[in-house]
Amino acid sequence: MTALALVVTAYIVPGITLTGFNAALIAAIILGLVNAVVRPLLILLTLPITIVTLGLFLLVINALSIQLVAALTSGFSVDGLLWAIIGSLVLSFVSSILDSLIGKNPDPT
């Protein structure tokens, strides 16, 4: 699902480039790992500035996460911090739309 959202985001945002769906799959896996390991540490370390900016600094953290994934993934590139911020917003929006279309139903038990 994240790979498809990355492909759509790369299509919409001109500063984000993907060379193919395989690169999107690899980037999606690395993004999941970065979101699970690195992002919580960044949020914890930057908590004071996040509080002062009323949470807006989280956009920068998301953008840095995307840039880290681009640095680790061949075939996926981001042209700068501004494009990473825009890309993180678009990626969140596209992911939420795809999730609502697929209908992630919770366990009915």
Side-chain angles (χ1 to χ4, degrees):
M1 187 71 83
T2 305
L4 181 59
L6 277 172
V7 169
V8 172
T9 300
Y11 181 76
I12 294 172
V13 180
I16 296 178
T17 308
L18 270 171
T19 58
F21 194 72
N22 287 338
L25 284 174
I26 294 169
I29 291 168
I30 294 174
L31 183 62
L33 292 172
V34 166
N35 282 339
V37 178
V38 177
R39 189 171 178 268
L41 293 174
L42 283 175
I43 290 173
L44 185 64
L45 291 174
T46 61
L47 190 60
I49 194 167
T50 302
I51 292 171
V52 169
T53 61
L54 302 175
L56 289 176
F57 193 72
L58 291 174
L59 290 173
V60 175
I61 291 174
N62 289 341
L64 291 174
S65 297
I66 288 178
Q67 284 189 318
L68 177 62
V69 171
L72 296 174
T73 307
S74 63
F76 177 53
S77 65
V78 179
D79 291 340
L81 185 64
L82 178 63
W83 290 118
I85 290 172
I86 294 169
S88 71
L89 290 170
V90 171
L91 183 63
S92 297
F93 183 71
V94 169
S95 293
S96 66
I97 288 175
L98 288 175
D99 286 343
S100 67
L101 287 177
I102 299 300
K104 284 187 175 179
N105 294 330
D107 190 21
T109 56

